[in-house]
Amino acid sequence: MAFAPRGPEASFFQVLDQHRASLLAALRKGGREPAGGGTHLATRFEDSVGLHMVSHCTTRKIKSDSPKSVKTFALILKILSMIYKLVQSNTYATKRDIYYTDSQLFGNQTVVDNIINDISCMLKVPRRSLHILSTSKGLIAGNLRYIEEDGTKVNCACATAVAVPSNIQGIQNLITDAKFLLIVEKDATFQRLLDDSFCTKMSPCIMVTGKGVPDLNTRLLVKKLWDTFHIPIFTLVDADPHGIEIMCIYKYGSMAMSFEAHNLTVPAIRWLGLLPSDIKRLNIPKVTLIPLTKQDQMKLDSILKRPYITCQPFWRKEMEIMADSKMKAEIQALTFLSSDYLSRVYLPNKLKFGGWI
């Protein structure tokens, strides 16, 4: 075995092990979810991939002799020349590095980000193949060791979390005994679980947070861990439309990055909590609940109309509970039951008895 300490007895993970066996069986059959399909604009949904761009999508032309697009054309050429130099010298730069080479010319970071995405999409290659890296904001902790591209050995089984590497493609020799990976929406919840020694009590496991909407590297890391180990992956998000949106990004991807869906999405991800149905089941005090705003309701309606929800009836049911109640809840609402209810009762029971959807 690669790690110590040990957590619960082996029998604790019986349902988890059965879930993993079903995931592996699905992979052998082609890696598909139970059912689904559909189309949306230039993006198609496939249950085994998530949202990805169709080959016949609408394109736009940027001409050098057009007053409207001549500046964009020039900026694309400038960034292409920088990419060429990076590839030729086998060096890497962040999007921020590129922006600061001529911040007055680019104007703002968003211009650089959009052009890099356009180049990646146009050439049909992942951004890292352009030798452009994103700055990581995510954290990882638990039963995992690996070696970074420069030879640095990283052990995530420490008391403090480790920053997600900026070059996921370069990490190698990944080792883990983890029974599951838990994606935590918010950094505050992630840190609280660390303080409660959740990774030790539920050992062996891995925890990851993207600190809200995940950056590219956090998504790449989750995908790499799935592709390497095929362990169950669960999400812990607020019972609100924003939390559900973040979970959908990990599982099915986003419109903006649909051209790279095969490298980013993990359709095997399951929703562990906080479920809207948990609010009533656990008798969470009404004083801790928050009314849905108009923006929340619009977001919820938008998610319910997405093609992948047709193959997630249990997700739909949970979202309908939220819509009917017109209330949302943060994970922190569980502290009203007891200060360590999340790590001591809620998550262990969910994991032991299969409380995911």
Side-chain angles (χ1 to χ4, degrees), residues 110-311:
T110 303
V111 172
V112 174
D113 295 350
N114 291 338
I115 289 175
I116 291 170
N117 284 342
D118 286 344
I119 292 172
S120 180
C121 184
M122 179 177 63
L123 299 179
K124 297 180 181 179
V125 296
R127 188 191 302 164
R128 58 195 173 279
S129 296
L130 305 176
H131 283 229
I132 296 176
L133 305 175
S134 299
T135 303
S136 296
K137 66 169 182 171
L139 298 172
I140 184 167
N143 192 291
L144 179 68
R145 292 203 304 260
Y146 57 86
I147 300 176
E148 293 189 345
E149 189 177 34
D150 62 0
T152 302
K153 295 181 179 180
V154 179
N155 184 356
C156 301
C158 304
T160 56
V162 174
V164 170
S166 59
N167 187 359
I168 302 300
Q169 189 179 32
I171 65 176
Q172 55 189 334
N173 293 5
L174 289 91
I175 303 172
T176 186
D177 294 322
K179 291 286 189 179
F180 66 93
L181 165 62
L182 180 65
I183 299 171
V184 182
E185 175 192 351
K186 297 189 295 190
D187 184 40
T189 306
F190 181 87
Q191 297 296 338
R192 179 57 196 261
L193 290 173
L194 281 182
D195 291 343
D196 289 349
S197 301
F198 178 79
C199 285
T200 301
K201 295 173 183 175
M202 289 291 104
S203 179
C205 70
I206 301 170
M207 284 200 312
V208 170
T209 182
K211 297 182 178 179
V213 177
D215 59 282
L216 182 65
N217 289 324
T218 302
R219 293 175 63 189
L220 285 168
L221 177 63
V222 171
K223 173 67 171 177
K224 190 177 187 74
L225 292 173
W226 165 250
D227 287 343
T228 305
F229 302 111
H230 293 122
I231 56 175
I233 302 178
F234 304 108
T235 55
L236 178 64
V237 299
D238 287 338
D240 65 13
H242 185 69
I244 295 171
E245 177 76 280
I246 288 172
M247 175 174 59
C248 290
I249 291 173
Y250 282 107
K251 184 176 176 76
Y252 292 122
S254 61
M255 293 282 287
M257 298 297 293
S258 59
F259 63 90
E260 220 183 316
H262 288 80
N263 300 312
L264 294 172
T265 61
V266 185
I269 287 173
R270 298 293 184 266
W271 187 2
L272 188 66
L274 182 67
L275 302 180
S277 60
D278 289 335
I279 296 171
K280 183 177 181 180
R281 181 177 63 85
L282 298 174
N283 292 317
I284 294 175
K286 290 184 178 180
V287 68
T288 67
L289 306 183
I290 305 168
L292 290 177
T293 65
K294 186 176 181 180
Q295 289 74 19
D296 288 332
Q297 291 173 337
M298 291 173 62
K299 171 67 73 177
L300 191 59
D301 290 341
S302 170
I303 296 172
L304 282 166
K305 293 175 183 176
R306 294 178 188 175
Y308 46 74
I309 297 301
T310 61
C311 65

Side-chain angles (χ1 to χ4, degrees), residues 27-87:
L27 279 174
R28 287 191 289 269
K29 292 179 181 178
R32 300 185 66 81
E33 289 277 298
T39 60
H40 184 70
L41 298 178
T43 302
R44 182 174 70 228
F45 166 67
E46 288 185 12
D47 47 20
S48 60
V49 178
L51 294 171
H52 66 101
M53 196 168 65
V54 297
S55 57
H56 56 276
C57 62
T58 303
T59 59
R60 62 189 175 96
K61 293 182 179 180
I62 299 174
K63 300 180 179 180
S64 61
D65 58 353
S66 170
K68 291 183 178 180
S69 61
V70 63
K71 181 178 180 181
T72 303
F73 186 87
L75 292 178
I76 290 174
L77 287 182
K78 180 174 178 63
I79 292 178
L80 278 171
S81 70
M82 297 173 71
I83 290 170
Y84 176 77
K85 291 175 183 177
L86 289 170
V87 174

